[in-house]
Amino acid sequence: MKRRDFGQYCGLARALELVGERWALLIIRDLAVRPRRYTDLLEGLPGIPTNVLSTRLKELEQAGLVERRVAPAPERGIRYVLTADGSALEPAVHALGRWGTGQLDEPRPGDIVTPESVTMSLRAGFNPAAAAGRDASWEIRAGDMVLHAVVADGRLAAGVGPVPGKAQLVITFDPDDLPSYRALMQAAKCGLVELEGRRTLLNTFVDVFTPPVDTLPVDQDPAPDRHRRES
């Protein structure tokens, strides 16, 4: 399959040749959260034409970033998973996501939010320094969306679905608009959430999922809703 060739001996050019086509990085984003079947990817990426999804998956397979595996029992069929090289893209996806969050305005008509996108935002927003030495687990609920975030010895595991076992704190929020990461953090900072469990872990959640200042765009306030003294 023909690949875009920039004709430059440059790492960035090479990366764009491999994952610079439209939808490619969103496929990588979703597969970084969990293995997905073709129909799962199609459902989670509304608007992507079926022929484009098939083409992108073939391109990513040929590039050695994605591979097909037989789903374990009791599931059937083929699931797409990231290879080691594909998984190595996750930090770059996080950095792009943090930068892109600073460029977001109000949601546009037709915009959606998926569990995979919010999960990756949690991972991208994770602050290892704030999580150092901590052990905590949160379950985040918004409508039909259920996510989990578990910090053990300062390391994060975040994904789709409930916390394995029992969450120390369940955070339920009912956004007026899309259940986005920005809406979740805004609601958590303002206390506009329902809590079940160790309520003190809400402040920990805000701290742990507020990105370090040095990872944010220069004009993005890491905690815009905290009280500040006006000069």
Side-chain angles (χ1 to χ4, degrees), residues 53-176:
L53 177 57
S54 297
T55 298
R56 293 292 170 269
L57 287 170
K58 289 178 182 177
E59 291 170 346
L60 293 171
E61 283 187 83
Q62 290 178 350
L65 305 177
V66 169
E67 63 184 12
R68 285 179 283 182
R69 294 182 186 171
V70 176
E75 295 184 42
R76 294 182 179 180
I78 298 295
R79 297 194 303 182
Y80 291 90
V81 301
L82 293 182
T83 64
D85 281 345
S87 295
L89 278 166
E90 188 166 343
V93 174
H94 290 172
L96 278 172
R98 285 191 296 267
W99 180 84
T101 297
Q103 314 305 311
L104 288 174
D105 296 316
E106 293 301 313
R108 298 167 297 191
D111 278 354
I112 67 163
V113 169
T114 68
E116 286 75 20
S117 69
V118 180
T119 298
M120 286 297 278
S121 293
L122 286 169
R123 294 181 185 179
F126 178 62
N127 187 332
R134 294 182 184 270
D135 291 279
S137 60
W138 300 272
E139 190 167 294
I140 301 105
R141 301 175 182 173
D144 295 333
M145 185 183 300
V146 179
L147 310 174
H148 66 267
V150 179
V151 172
D153 195 24
R155 296 175 178 269
L156 173 67
V160 178
V163 171
K166 183 178 181 181
Q168 293 175 314
L169 180 65
V170 177
I171 303 172
T172 302
F173 81 116
D174 184 17
D176 293 331

